[in-house]
């Protein structure tokens, strides 16, 4: 039966290091649908009909069909009666939105706005939490989820953060500037007065770990209070603090030799926890003046101006 083939296929790929949790669920759902349809083999028509129902966007339809096509290709090698859906017809390029790069003045205004959020009795840490969170994100380039997952044991001696099992199942060490370490220590002293037994660094009402919904709601209030891009159709995001960090790190690099530029990119890519360096190069494409700076350095190198 197809469901048994799914289990065999997923087990084989997991043995090779893939997680495939979502793929497993979707393929099981698809094969149950196919069996109810009377199919003993994978049929393109069945795959197209099923993905049209379960997928709400062209992008998700493409991904679901790609998963079925990979599975079908695996079975087709054993039994040519299995059809392989041509999922490439449904490919739509993903356009990443241009990041909003906060100015130094805007960051100062945001920190001031966070420190002056309306006081809430059930959450005496509110002002301190959001000011520290924004400051930490701006100074380290952490993902929001990485900051919210921090526990007290992840604050290592010497001002180093231990970021555990993140987006790509990788752990890394993130050193902090001395000013950030001092701010974090001050925050922890306030936290110690009101926190309960939970060891998450950032807590909300009742001493519970802070969720993304709470963070985004407070961040929108901070943007309004700080008057950050009020007329912009697409409001800046808290994730843009990460983009701002990466952009400033590249802008402030004065290395002009080719090998130095490459080393800077590798260091930044590692610091940010990118799975592939191409994700770091995206900051050049997203920020035209950075592309111009690198292009200018390359021209000088080619002309022999730079040794």
């Amino acid at each position: 039966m197809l469901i048994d083939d799914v289990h065999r296929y997923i087990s084989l790929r997991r043995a090779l290091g893939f997680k495939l949790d979502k793929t497993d669920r979707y393929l099981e759902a698809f094969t149950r649908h196919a069996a109810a349809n009377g199919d003993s083999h994978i049929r393109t028509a069945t795959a197209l009909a099923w993905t049209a129902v379960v997928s709400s966007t062209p992008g998700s339809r493409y991904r679901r069909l790609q998963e079925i096509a990979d599975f079908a290709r695996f079975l087709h090698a054993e039994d040519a009666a299995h059809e392989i859906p041509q999922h490439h017809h449904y490919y739509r390029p993903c356009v990443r939105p241009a990041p909003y790069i906060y100015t130094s003045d805007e960051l100062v205004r945001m920190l001031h706005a966070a420190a002056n959020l309306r006081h809430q009795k059930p959450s005496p840490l509110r002002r301190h939490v959001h000011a520290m969170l924004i400051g930490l994100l701006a100074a380290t380039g952490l993902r929001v989820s990485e900051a919210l997952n921090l526990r007290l044991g992840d604050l290592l001696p010497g001002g180093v953060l231990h970021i555990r099992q993140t987006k790509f199942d990788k752990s890394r060490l993130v050193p902090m500037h001395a000013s950030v370490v001092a701010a974090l220590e001050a925050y922890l002293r306030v936290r110690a007065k009101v926190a309960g037994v939970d060891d998450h660094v950032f807590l909300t009402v009742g001493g519970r770990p802070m969720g993304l919904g709470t963070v985004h709601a407070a961040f929108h209030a901070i943007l309004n209070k700080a008057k950050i891009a009020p007329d912009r159709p697409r409001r800046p995001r808290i994730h843009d603090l990460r983009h701002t960090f990466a952009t400033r790190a590249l802008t402030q690099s004065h290395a002009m030799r080719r090998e130095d530029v490459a080393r800077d990119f590798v260091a930044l890519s590692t610091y940010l926890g990118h799975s592939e360096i191409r994700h770091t190069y995206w900051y050049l494409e997203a920020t035209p003046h950075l592309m111009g700076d690198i292009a200018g350095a390359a021209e000088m190198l080619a002309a022999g101006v730079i040794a």
Side-chain angles (χ1 to χ4, degrees):
M1 295 178 63
L2 285 175
I3 190 66
D4 296 327
D5 291 327
V6 168
H7 296 158
R8 183 164 57 93
Y9 169 72
I10 293 296
S11 296
L12 175 62
R13 295 200 62 192
R14 281 178 175 164
L16 297 174
F18 295 95
K19 293 180 66 175
L20 304 177
D21 292 336
K22 290 183 179 179
T23 300
D24 188 9
R25 292 197 300 271
Y26 282 118
L27 287 181
E28 284 194 5
F30 167 68
T31 52
R32 285 196 297 269
H33 171 80
N37 198 51
D39 297 341
S40 59
H41 293 74
I42 294 179
R43 303 298 179 200
T44 295
T46 303
L48 291 174
W50 181 78
T51 53
V53 172
V54 300
S55 304
S56 58
T57 65
S60 61
R61 185 181 187 186
Y62 169 77
R63 290 190 294 273
R64 298 293 83 77
L65 278 174
Q66 182 181 37
E67 291 163 346
I68 295 172
D70 290 342
F71 175 49
R73 197 172 290 110
F74 168 79
L75 295 180
H76 185 83
E78 303 172 349
D79 185 347
H82 290 284
E83 298 175 2
I84 303 174
Q86 297 302 310
H87 62 288
H88 295 291
H89 294 306
Y90 301 94
Y91 174 73
R92 297 293 184 276
C94 179
V95 179
R96 297 179 69 173
Y100 184 89
I101 306 302
Y102 298 101
T103 66
S104 297
D105 177 67
E106 287 176 330
L107 290 174
V108 170
R109 282 154 47 198
M110 289 166 62
L111 288 171
H112 183 266
N116 288 278
L117 284 171
R118 183 169 59 85
H119 182 70
Q120 293 180 334
K121 289 184 179 180
S123 182
L125 272 178
R126 185 173 187 242
R127 296 176 177 179
H128 304 281
V129 164
H130 293 291
M132 188 63 243
L133 180 60
I134 289 176
L136 184 65
L137 296 176
T140 62
L142 293 181
R143 300 178 179 92
V144 181
S145 60
E146 293 172 343
L148 296 183
N149 286 333
L150 281 173
R151 295 174 179 266
L152 297 178
D154 296 327
L155 311 182
L156 305 182
V160 176
L161 298 176
H162 187 188
I163 310 301
R164 303 174 185 271
Q165 297 298 312
T166 62
K167 186 176 179 180
F168 300 101
D169 288 330
K170 293 182 178 180
S171 297
R172 69 187 191 280
L173 300 178
V174 174
M176 296 180 289
H177 189 272
S179 61
V180 183
V181 175
L184 186 56
E185 289 175 348
Y187 162 76
L188 291 175
R189 287 194 292 271
V190 176
R191 178 193 178 281
K193 297 177 182 178
V194 297
V197 296
D198 193 285
D199 66 344
H200 281 84
V201 172
F202 296 104
L203 301 174
T204 186
V205 178
R208 295 191 298 271
M210 181 166 287
L212 280 174
T214 302
V215 170
H216 288 306
F219 186 72
H220 289 151
I222 291 167
L223 287 181
N224 292 333
K225 195 176 184 68
K227 295 181 171 55
I228 306 296
D231 300 324
R232 194 170 187 259
R234 183 178 177 275
R235 297 305 305 278
R237 305 166 301 164
I238 193 169
H239 190 68
D240 288 326
L241 291 170
R242 178 172 166 85
H243 296 316
T244 299
F245 171 85
T247 300
R248 291 187 183 282
L250 292 174
T251 301
Q252 292 171 6
S253 173
H254 299 293
M256 301 297 286
R257 294 185 302 170
R258 181 166 47 193
E259 59 270 25
D260 289 338
V261 171
R263 186 167 57 247
D264 283 352
F265 267 95
V266 171
L268 180 60
S269 183
T270 302
Y271 189 91
L272 291 172
H274 284 160
S275 61
E276 300 177 34
I277 199 168
R278 64 185 176 89
H279 298 304
T280 313
Y281 278 112
W282 176 77
Y283 289 109
L284 291 181
E285 178 184 345
T287 313
H289 77 272
L290 285 179
M291 183 72 84
D293 290 345
I294 297 297
E299 289 177 2
M300 294 176 68
L301 179 66
V305 177
I306 304 174

